[in-house]
Amino acid sequence: MMAWCCGKAYRDNCLFEFRKKLIAKETPMSLRLLTIAIKWGLSLSLLSGLLFGLYLVRERMQTERAGEESEEKTAAQQRGENGLVKLEEEETERYGLKTERARSVRWCPHRTVYGRVVPNPQATVEIRSPLAGTLQAARGTVWPALGQRVRAGETIGALNVRVGPEVRLDLQNKLADARIRQRGAEEEVQIEQDRAKSLRRVTSQEIIARSELDAALIHLAQARTQLATAKASVELWQQALEEIEKRTGKADSSWSLSFMAPADGEVTEVAGRLGMVVEAGSPILTLVDFRRPLFRLDIPPELLTSGGPPQHIDVRKPSASPLPLSGVVAPPSPTAELSESAKAYLVGPASRVDPVSQFVSYWYEVRLTSQGSSAAARESEEKNTRRSLYRPGMQVIAEVKTGEAAAQPAVTVAAGAVLYHEGRPLVYVRIEPEKFQRREVCLLGREGDRWVVSVRQGNLAIGVAPDEAVVSRHAQVLLSKEFLVGGTEND
């Protein structure tokens, strides 16, 4: 019995120890599971709170944006309904606002044509040596250099002419021949005079017909003409021989012969140098008057169907920066101003058609020369000299009208009157002494320093009617006044 009790106690003790060990092994796993559950719960809670916060922020931002859009839409609607700016007379004078009447015009669409400056043979002069000799500088002058501008009649050099015995003998022979012709012409004139005198007496008595006297008078006039020609030849050769005789009596006598510039121009080529020995007809200098440039413009065939090429056209050099685009959304760059144009006149068609574009080429010439010696003429001369930068090879552009059939009514405003807001051009029109109205306009083109804009149709707040007072100076002040929302004005 004792042994059974001891065995049972031992068994129970073993079972207790086994259960104890089992519980000891299971406790860390439970805690681990509990820790993981707590972490996931906290993470999900934080993520849910973050998402909820972001949702609240998004809703608030959408509410504020909707409010701002509503305010902007309301302000835009209010501006679109009236577009009026009130400005007192004192403020207008203080800001320096100026108005100018819109001018009514007939606008024809323009087509841009391109061309190039070519050498003008009418403005090119080549100076050649009249006689054989040695080149030298004229007294008080220097030998012309490349790029130097000379005027017509200005002495630009001299030629040390050398005359040999053969030249003297040739002049003497020609002088003797001319004198013989003169004596023969004098005798012929005397004979014809006597004949006409006798026929005149007989004709007065009506012995012979009047036609014989008329024939005699004709022969007399021809004889007198031959006599005058012979006298002129004698004087010419006599003068040449006397010019030689004035020099020393040596056979190789020489003298200096000055030569002058036959026309205005710039020295572009110097073929003769100081001390160079030249023959008669040798080239010395080449002068080109760049104030008479010649353009070759390539005109599309469709522009020639209505009356042929234009008789005159305004040609200008292309700007270094891109030209402003035409249309409603065309804010021009301040550096994209159009260059000064020159009026070119039609000379005639070119010898061939451009093989690539198949455009018809025409010659146009510009005359930038001025006449007179007054102060205005000198000022114009200086201006033309500055403008005479057209050189062969330079590209040019011109605007050609497409035809009067496509003309439409329009008005022109000053260049400073056009403003741009949100990419749209607009102007301000003075409708009352202290009230200005904003008008959107459509830019059709440009004429000099004025914009050509569309005409106002009805009561729409777009376009400008003829003779309306348009703000041409400091119009930006009105734009700032109109679109200043919620701010304070500091004068």
Side-chain angles (χ1 to χ4, degrees), residues 192-401:
E192 293 295 340
Q193 285 180 348
D194 295 341
R195 180 185 177 189
K197 184 177 180 181
S198 61
L199 288 176
R200 189 176 288 108
R201 273 196 311 270
V202 176
T203 304
S204 62
Q205 299 175 3
E206 298 182 357
I207 298 175
I208 62 175
R210 176 70 183 181
S211 58
E212 293 187 13
L213 177 60
D214 295 338
L217 293 176
I218 292 175
H219 290 302
L220 177 60
Q222 293 176 353
R224 287 175 177 175
T225 303
Q226 294 177 1
L227 177 60
T229 304
K231 287 182 178 180
S233 299
V234 170
E235 292 177 0
L236 177 63
W237 298 119
Q238 181 68 35
Q239 183 179 0
L241 190 60
E242 289 176 357
E243 186 70 21
I244 294 177
E245 296 297 338
K246 288 180 182 179
R247 315 300 164 183
T248 59
K250 298 180 181 180
D252 58 346
S253 61
S254 63
W255 77 92
S256 178
L257 177 64
S258 300
F259 52 89
M260 299 178 295
D264 295 345
E266 296 180 14
V267 180
T268 59
E269 184 178 353
V270 182
R273 309 294 183 190
L274 287 177
M276 180 182 293
V277 177
V278 294
E279 298 296 331
S282 300
I284 301 176
L285 297 174
T286 301
L287 303 179
V288 178
D289 190 358
F290 291 107
R291 295 171 302 175
R292 296 178 55 188
L294 183 66
F295 304 107
R296 175 174 176 164
L297 299 179
D298 300 328
I299 302 179
E302 57 269 18
L303 298 181
L304 303 176
T305 56
S306 58
Q311 295 299 317
H312 56 82
I313 191 172
D314 292 331
V315 182
R316 66 176 183 272
K317 293 173 286 188
S319 177
S321 55
L323 294 175
L325 300 176
S326 59
V328 177
V329 288
S333 172
T335 59
E337 296 295 335
L338 300 179
S339 60
E340 188 176 7
S341 61
K343 187 174 292 297
Y345 296 89
L346 177 65
V347 177
S351 57
R352 61 186 180 89
V353 176
D354 187 83
V356 178
S357 63
Q358 291 297 304
F359 289 174
V360 183
S361 300
Y362 284 87
W363 303 114
Y364 283 86
E365 184 182 10
V366 175
R367 294 181 178 271
L368 300 177
T369 57
S370 59
Q371 298 179 353
S373 58
S374 61
R378 290 193 298 270
E379 182 179 357
S380 177
E381 182 75 15
E382 294 178 359
K383 181 179 179 181
N384 293 334
T385 302
R386 293 193 300 268
R387 293 172 57 190
S388 62
L389 297 178
Y390 296 102
R391 293 295 189 269
M394 180 181 294
Q395 294 182 352
V396 294
I397 58 177
E399 300 291 335
V400 179
K401 295 181 180 180

Side-chain angles (χ1 to χ4, degrees), residues 420-438:
Y420 292 88
H421 179 71
E422 296 180 351
R424 296 183 177 181
L426 56 91
V427 298
Y428 280 92
V429 179
R430 190 168 193 169
I431 58 177
E432 293 182 8
E434 297 183 356
K435 189 178 295 185
F436 300 87
Q437 184 181 30
R438 171 175 44 85

Side-chain angles (χ1 to χ4, degrees), residues 124-141:
T124 304
V125 177
E126 189 177 41
I127 301 177
R128 294 179 175 269
S129 175
L131 298 171
T134 304
L135 297 178
Q136 62 181 10
R139 182 176 300 178
T141 63

Side-chain angles (χ1 to χ4, degrees), residues 31-62:
L31 291 175
R32 193 178 297 114
L33 294 175
L34 181 61
T35 302
I36 293 173
I38 292 173
K39 288 181 179 180
W40 276 102
L42 291 176
S43 299
L44 293 175
S45 300
L46 291 176
L47 183 60
S48 300
L50 181 61
L51 292 176
F52 183 73
L54 292 176
Y55 173 76
L56 293 179
V57 172
R58 177 176 176 275
E59 290 293 329
R60 184 173 180 180
M61 291 179 64
Q62 287 183 349

